[in-house]
Amino acid sequence: MFEKEYDVIVVGAGHAGSEAAAAAANLGSKTLLITMNLQNIAQMSCNPAMGGIAKGQIVREIDALGGYSGIVSDKSAIQFKMLNKSKGPAMWSPRVQSDRMRFAETWREMLEQTPNLDFYQEMVSGLLIEGDRVVGVKTSLGLSVRSKAVVLTNGTFLNGLIHIGEKQFGGGRAGERAATGITKELEALGFDSGRMKTGTPPRVDGRSLDFSKMTIQPGDEEPQKFSYLESTKPLTHQRACHMSYTSLQVHELLREGFDRSPMFNGAIQSVGPRYCPSIEDKIHRFADKDRHQLFVEPEGWNTVEYYINGFSTSLPEDVQFRALKECDGFQNVKFFRPGYAIEYDYFPPTQLAHTLETKLVSGLYFAGQINGTTGYEEAASQGLMAGISAHLKIRGKDPFTLQRNEAYIGVLIDDLITKGTEEPYRMFTSRAEYRTLLRQDNADFRLTPKSFDIGLASENRLHQMEQKKEQSDKLVAFFKNTSYQVAEANAILEANNSAAVQQNDKMFKLFSRPEIDMDDMLQLEQVKRFVEKEKFSTEELQQAEIQIKYAGYIEKEKSNADKLNRLEGIRIPDNFDYNKLKSLSFEAREKLKEIRPTSISQASRISGVSPNDISVMLVYMGR
């Protein structure tokens, strides 16, 4: 029925599990993906969208590394938007509205076409442990399946408890049972666990909505795509989203149900996501606001189901319904299903190494919401890295990790294992101190060569990246080495209210002015001829423009990153005895002993470890 022994078993087939299974199998490991329902592979449990602020950068990084999320997002997109275009390119973030059913279908098709990957539908209820290492899993039907590594990506299913008003019932997602057994077993092995909460809004019938009373939210006029591969294409037509608002009357109706809300009556004890609060949490915490935005998002190309983004709630269904009816365009609303909250088990991620392998059990990896994160993109990136790590470990190869100056994925994992999290962790651009280097446009330059070296990114993907880099470098060199004519340049400068020039100079200098963009430069005859001759793509033109206009910022961040890397190079031995350092503060000693950082740089990021503590360690290690 099964292989005698798998290389890697992945438990759970959400976004983390799907990426983990694909990565391990594509690298050559015999992989088994076990999930409770094979019909729900890569299900979008919450909103039907991928990307967004910082999350879009993560999807681009997953794609650059050879993961599937970017390709699936492109193939199932119904709308594309590049967010934050009014800001600098470090803030630009791609986002797609997705066809929920097509997204899951495309993921399953791609996984089924992946060599070395088997599937099985069952609930994993425990682990097979020998000594201090995992050797497989046990299922609820009593089957034992052996492997060299196990990746747990259980999502919200570990002892999941769903709340709708006063009603509570076990489940990992609406209509699906919770997973039991694993938490108790991990706790018995010495793992610490906790509880977190997330929520989801009602889904409604679009035929019952009056969109004329809402503000239309179209996609970009010239949509781009997530994947760097040429095999996916930008959208040629798109579905619109819409925006409505709550009101003071809506807030009053919601407040009437607060005494029946699990958020306020003590039924929910765990912490929810700070940056994606429920509607009841919003009107409680921001009582001075007389309205909140609601984004009305279609669930696909050919469905009338809509997701009401901004109205996440666990209030009783009748309260949800009465309040939503008072929002513009919702007067005749019909529910497909109410919103609900869900509590689930997680394991504080300070119990993991940078590879996402647990410190207590060799060969066991955690990825996704089990680590306290929220969001498809955060989960998928962890799954990808865990799948890579498991494959490399069982073959005795060096670990593959990403630094904070190399990827948002590196920031995410370092934050989790170094600082931990007591609330659902969500990625933001502000978390990345080197975000000018970690742009969505250059993820392939940053990561594809690294992934190719370990055998995951294909030769075709590497070739496309190298070709793009060669072309954009050629264009930058042209601007650096070619001079403009004063009269021609001044015509452009005058049109953009920029100071005139008095003499010929290099085009790079002209292009560096904040008022001047690529469209302006293309008005120069020499530039126009060169671009037409070389047939530069839109991506190559954009890449060259960013490299020129932000050259100073990029160089400054590279310099700062080099300083960080020098501290990363000072490794701390695994058996380092912090008790010998009498000058360390008590808090620093306890935190360092718990987290056991691998470098001085990581130690400096631990909450409670001061610059003075780092100085003590540097002096001691210098000796």
Side-chain angles (χ1 to χ4, degrees), residues 23 35 38 44 53 64 140 166 169 240 246-247 283 313 315 347 354 370 375 392 400 419 435 447 503 526 556:
T35 184
L38 285 170
M44 292 180 132
I53 307 301
S140 59
E166 305 97 328
F169 47 94
T246 62
S247 64
I283 63 175
T313 182
L315 285 164
F347 290 81
H354 264 106
I370 192 172
L392 294 175
F400 178 76
K419 302 172 184 175
R435 53 187 172 273
L447 301 176
Q503 59 186 33
Q526 289 184 85
K556 185 177 179 181

Side-chain angles (χ1 to χ4, degrees), residues 213 244-254 294 311 319-333:
K213 294 182 179 177
S244 182
Y245 293 91
T246 62
S247 64
L248 290 174
Q249 185 181 4
V250 172
H251 299 177
E252 282 306 310
L253 287 168
L254 289 167
L294 300 179
F311 206 86
V319 176
Q320 297 181 33
F321 182 66
R322 283 202 312 274
L324 196 55
K325 276 177 71 72
E326 296 304 318
C327 298
D328 286 344
F330 286 86
Q331 282 68 32
N332 299 309
V333 67

